[in-house]
Amino acid sequence: MTRALGAIRDATDVAGLRTEVMHALGLCGIDAAFFVAPLARDMRAGRLLTNMGFPRVWERHYRARLHFVDPLPTLSFDFSNAFFWPEDVHSGKLSKQERRYMEIASQYGLACGIGVACYGPHGRAGFLGTAWTGDIRPSDNILLTVHQIGQTSFQRYCQIMREHIDITPLSNRELEVLGWMCSGKSNPAMAEIIGVSRSSIDAYIRRIFAKLGTTDRTAACVRAYSLGLIASQEVVTLVEKARVRDEPRR
């Protein structure tokens, strides 16, 4: 398994990554899996599906509408490790549509399975789901291994996709303006904070939009967060609290 995880880490493209993931899962006795992203509780944004071994008819229905009612990706937020369904899923907490989805999915090889939330750089997240055809619940070792496969593969996927993103570097001043902009500051407020004219702020923002390929502040901030250009306010607050805590008392 160590060699299989290393092959996932060293995959050079998405097709090769998919092959190595299925090889690693095969060592666990798993022959079908799927991956969806982005992983978010708000499903209106939709989900991209990668099918690795499940029937095409399920794939078509999932892309068309079933991804709206699949509860498994959202449920994965509640587990620190991989989980096993249906045993770890309390049907009483599912809506009528979600229970119906589980019934439909069971007809296509998903009656039992292992799921895991996968986290990548810059706040990205996805979900790996696999079939489980064993007669008994998978061991804790199997669950941990699937967890490792999911995390390693998603990290590598994010790296592969990032290698194809060509962003013109932002200057230090542009990054400063971007940071204040994403914290909700208006153009006049940024001009006062930074100590430049409002027309200069307008020029910086136009250059930021051009470099990020966006046309408004919201889209620019979303792209900046996804690319790791700036830290979220939550992270900034945590860092400040840690700094205050660790300062020597006088």
Side-chain angles (χ1 to χ4, degrees):
M1 182 54 68
T2 299
R3 287 195 296 271
L5 290 172
I8 291 174
R9 179 201 60 204
D10 297 333
T12 58
D13 54 44
V14 174
L17 177 63
R18 186 182 303 119
T19 298
E20 298 301 341
V21 167
M22 291 312 300
H23 171 70
L25 291 174
L27 299 177
C28 300
I30 296 170
D31 60 6
F34 70 98
F35 187 84
V36 293
L39 181 56
R41 293 189 185 277
D42 184 356
M43 291 178 286
R44 290 174 297 177
R47 288 171 174 163
L48 298 176
L49 170 70
T50 300
N51 177 22
M52 299 173 283
F54 288 106
R56 293 298 180 185
V57 62
W58 169 82
E59 178 181 336
R60 289 196 299 271
H61 289 312
Y62 195 93
R63 292 182 188 277
R65 64 182 186 278
L66 291 181
H67 66 277
F68 287 114
V69 294
D70 178 5
L72 298 174
T74 303
L75 287 173
S76 68
F77 280 123
D78 299 329
F79 297 88
S80 59
N81 191 15
F83 68 96
F84 175 65
W85 76 80
E87 187 173 312
D88 294 337
V89 175
H90 300 289
S91 59
K93 296 183 179 180
L94 302 181
S95 68
K96 182 178 179 180
Q97 287 183 317
E98 290 171 336
R99 289 195 297 271
R100 177 57 180 157
Y101 168 79
M102 297 300 291
E103 294 173 359
I104 294 172
S106 67
Q107 301 173 19
Y108 298 106
L110 285 162
C112 297
I114 301 171
V116 59
C118 305
Y119 299 99
H122 316 316
R124 297 182 181 181
F127 174 79
L128 175 66
T130 79
W132 180 256
T133 57
D135 296 329
I136 60 175
R137 177 189 173 92
S139 66
D140 289 343
N141 186 54
I142 291 293
L143 293 177
L144 179 58
T145 300
V146 173
H147 176 86
Q148 292 174 319
I149 293 170
Q151 301 302 330
T152 303
S153 61
F154 189 56
Q155 287 278 342
R156 184 56 188 147
Y157 172 80
C158 291
Q159 292 171 345
I160 291 172
M161 298 307 294
R162 185 178 177 85
E163 290 169 1
H164 297 287
I165 298 175
D166 186 16
I167 297 294
T168 303
L170 273 66
S171 67
N172 289 336
R173 180 67 83 188
E174 288 165 350
L175 287 172
E176 183 180 8
V177 171
L178 179 62
W180 286 118
M181 183 173 68
C182 293
S183 67
K185 298 297 183 182
S186 65
N187 288 16
M190 286 189 283
E192 183 176 351
I193 292 171
I194 297 174
V196 298
S197 67
R198 182 171 176 178
S199 61
S200 295
I201 294 295
D202 293 339
Y204 286 131
I205 291 178
R206 286 195 297 271
R207 290 204 293 266
I208 290 169
F209 286 172
K211 290 182 177 182
L212 296 183
T214 58
T215 57
D216 62 78
R217 294 166 67 106
T218 300
C221 291
V222 170
R223 188 140 175 80
Y225 285 125
S226 69
L227 293 173
L229 296 177
I230 59 173
S232 68
Q233 187 58 47
E234 179 183 0
V235 171
V236 172
T237 301
L238 290 173
V239 170
E240 180 60 21
K241 287 182 178 179
R243 184 190 64 78
V244 173
R245 182 197 63 204
D246 295 338
E247 282 184 346
R249 295 181 179 180
R250 295 180 179 178

